[in-house]
Amino acid sequence: MRIGVIGTGRIGTIHANTLSRHRDVGSLILTDADPARAQDLAHRLGETAAPGVEEIFRWGVDAVVITTATSAHAELIGRAARAGLPVFCEKPIALDLPGTLSAIAEVETAGTVLQMGFQRRFDPGYAGAREAVRSGRLGRLHTVRALTSDQAPPPAAWLPVSGGLYRDTLIHDFDVLRWVTGREVVDVYATGSDAGPAMFREAGDVDTGAALLTLDDGTLATVTGARLNGAGYDVRMELAGERDQIVVGLDDRTPIASTEPTGPPAADKPWAGFLERFGPAYEAELNAFVEVVRGERANPCDGREALQALRVAEACEVSRRERRPVRLTEIPGGTATALP
């Protein structure tokens, strides 16, 4: 199997490393907007670098992995679909709903595969939470509390093209909330604060955000995010039911300290960022993609799943901007059935 990797930045380098050592992947063709960067990575991995995207399709590949800037995702997905190629793409499909819907339509018309990179679905903690909910261990689920807090903010130049805190970061929480609970979000109320560095205000973004979500079975969920969490990278999900309560992301590296005399000590080596925290999950999702391409398993996260997470993020942005509750029926993109 030969796979084309388009984009060799941070996450592209990680994915190329994973694929290069995969027993079912014979070779890679790498390309990047910075040809020297692709050439350097290809040299280190013993793979082939291409001058540009044109060569990826002309030289012939069996599948494509897209890790470019988000602005290029939808066009590349469409091009791969028209070429009949399965695609793995980092989230999101696009920064807006029209672009997302257009790309999904191209994939569905072509009858090809689009697997989206929501790596938390492959994290053992979230998988364990999903099993606990689905097995009935928690009883009736009544409350979910999810959070994502970055230790340091992204570069200022990234903020205007990132889509904002809800689309860029908390979209992972929205996706995994649906995946773990098997329920759909019906309405949201969101707010945010730009009281931090000026670069957030200049980009029309917020450095801290919070949202209250109501699920279709009445479960209440809160999702919070922060760009400047000095203690470390913190990603957790607490699920409380009538019988039991569990938490994802609580271990000896969770950057939180207890004020109780008998509480656990602060982490000696807190998580620094998402690449470290979710390293095994990133590898697992690429292994799954290879299995999908080989016809050995069903697509674990298709474009329609990514669309629903984006619709929740869009609803949060409308709510934050207009300071009102927003029902998901107000957001284009149709309705989805609860996840099995």
Side-chain angles (χ1 to χ4, degrees), residues 24 87 92 117 131 136 142 161 172 180 184 213 240 263 312 320:
D24 293 322
V87 172
E131 173 59 26
H142 54 73
V161 298
H172 281 287
V180 166
E184 297 294 345
L213 293 72
V312 178
R320 178 181 73 86

Side-chain angles (χ1 to χ4, degrees), residues 83-95:
L85 295 172
V87 172
F88 175 92
C89 184
E90 278 300 321
K91 63 80 190 170
I93 293 174
L95 289 177

Side-chain angles (χ1 to χ4, degrees), residues 1-5 15 18-19 22 24-25 28 61-66 80 85-90 112-117 122 281-301:
M1 181 189 303
R2 172 189 273 187
I3 296 180
V5 179
H15 289 342
T18 296
L19 293 169
H22 197 290
D24 293 322
V25 177
L28 303 179
V61 293
D62 299 300
V64 173
V65 171
I66 300 172
L85 295 172
V87 172
F88 175 92
C89 184
E90 278 300 321
T112 53
V113 169
L114 169 61
Q115 180 183 328
M116 294 303 299
F122 296 87
Y282 281 119
E283 184 167 345
E285 69 178 356
L286 263 294
N287 291 339
F289 179 61
V290 172
E291 292 176 355
V292 170
V293 175
R294 288 171 56 87
E296 297 172 350
R297 68 175 292 174
N299 188 347
C301 186

